[in-house]
Structures are given as C-alpha cells and as structure tokens.
Amino acid sequence: MLAKDALKSAVKGNVVPTLRAAGFKGTYPTWRLERDGDTAVVNIQSGQYNEGTHGTFYVNLSVVPPSWWAWTHECAPDSPWGSSSQPGRAHDWDGLYRGRLMRPGQHNDDSSEWTVNSPEQARAASAEMAAALNDVGMAEMLELMGPGRMLSALRSGAIDATSPVLDRPGMRDIVLAVLLTDVGGPELDEVCQRLDQRAGRDYSELPLATASWARRRAASIKT
C-alpha cells in the first residue's frame, strides 16, 4: 500500500474524530473550522517523493482572521501575500498565523515530520497526530480565534515566530492596520498615518494602498 493511502485510511480512526469533536469540517487532507468570522485550517501535507510505500508527512495549522482574508483579496492580490482562494475555502497558506504540529515529546529538527513505511506505522503516526492535536495544536489555534485575539497576539509578539509576514520590513504596521479595521479609533488613524509616510518604500505602494483600504473598511464596519 502506498504511504499516502495508508495514512489517509489511518487518520479516519482518530485524527478525523478529534477534528470533528472540535467542530472542524472537511475531508482529507484539509479540514476547516469557522468561528466569529475566523477560519482555522488543519492540513496534512505530503513530503517530497511520496509516491511509494515510504513517505513523510506534516500537519499544517493555520488561522485566517476575516480582516486578513479581506486584505489579501481586496487590497493586496498581487503582493507576496495575495490569495486566490475561493470564499469559504481558505487554505493553510492563507493564514496570518501558520504553524506545524509537533510530535509529542519531540523537540529536534524533525519534530514536525511523521514517517510512514507501512499500514502499522501509518496507524501509529495518526495516533500521534491526534494526541498532539488534543494536547497542543488545537489549543494554539483556538486561542487565536475570536474578536481581538489575533490583534492581542500581534501586540504581545506571540505570533512573531509563526507568521511568515512579520519578518518583512514595514509589515508589522500593515498587519496592525488590517487587524485594527475591526476596531477603528485613534490607533488605526495613527497607524494609517505612519503607512502614508512610508509610501513608495516598502513593497512599492502597498503601505499607501493598505492605509486607504483600512480607512474604507473601518468606516464600512462602523456604519
């Protein structure tokens, strides 16, 4: 049996029930949970050269806030963070938060990788995935879902290491403006003013476009 088929069969016994119990919907390899406009995504990714009986797999975790989803489609579709995903079909690469599930008790370079060489090993791997989701992975995602939670995580630095966006110059203010559109107020005005001043510097006109978009979205939500 191919490794990918063995794992697909094995996850039905524990990973899928674990996700279903938390409210996730979907089919292998991607499941989604929508709550308060946020979308959490769990995706099982095959490693390279997984066409035989030996395979490696990863479990990608992602949270997509509604304001971030809107920005990637409406304001920045041609940027490195633009998205072409369809409404209601967010993928793990659409997330502002992105992480990988770690194997229970493992803290080395391969701690996010599961190896499958047989149906028995596939069942063992799926059991570990379910345990890791229950112990850590699910809580990490759910902690970021709900009004203001991703904004709080940005302010505290809790998502710095898990967002592929925040290590780029000038992107923290852009992300802050995006998340603040759900709140509005003086802080959003201050951030948009800073973005106006960066026009033409970081990623061409993206700061200026974001400031304009953020003001419009905040006004539409307020009314």
Side-chain angles (χ1 to χ4, degrees), residues 1-7 46-57 115-119 122:
M1 178 180 288
L2 296 178
K4 61 182 180 180
D5 293 333
L7 185 64
S46 297
Q48 291 183 320
Y49 314 117
N50 269 19
E51 297 304 316
T53 57
H54 171 89
T56 55
F57 300 87
T115 300
V116 172
N117 289 313
S118 66

Side-chain angles (χ1 to χ4, degrees), residues 124-146:
S126 68
E128 280 194 343
M129 290 175 182
L133 282 167
N134 274 320
D135 292 346
V136 179
M138 206 77 71
E140 287 182 355
M141 291 185 292
L142 296 180
E143 184 65 26
L144 294 171
M145 299 181 72

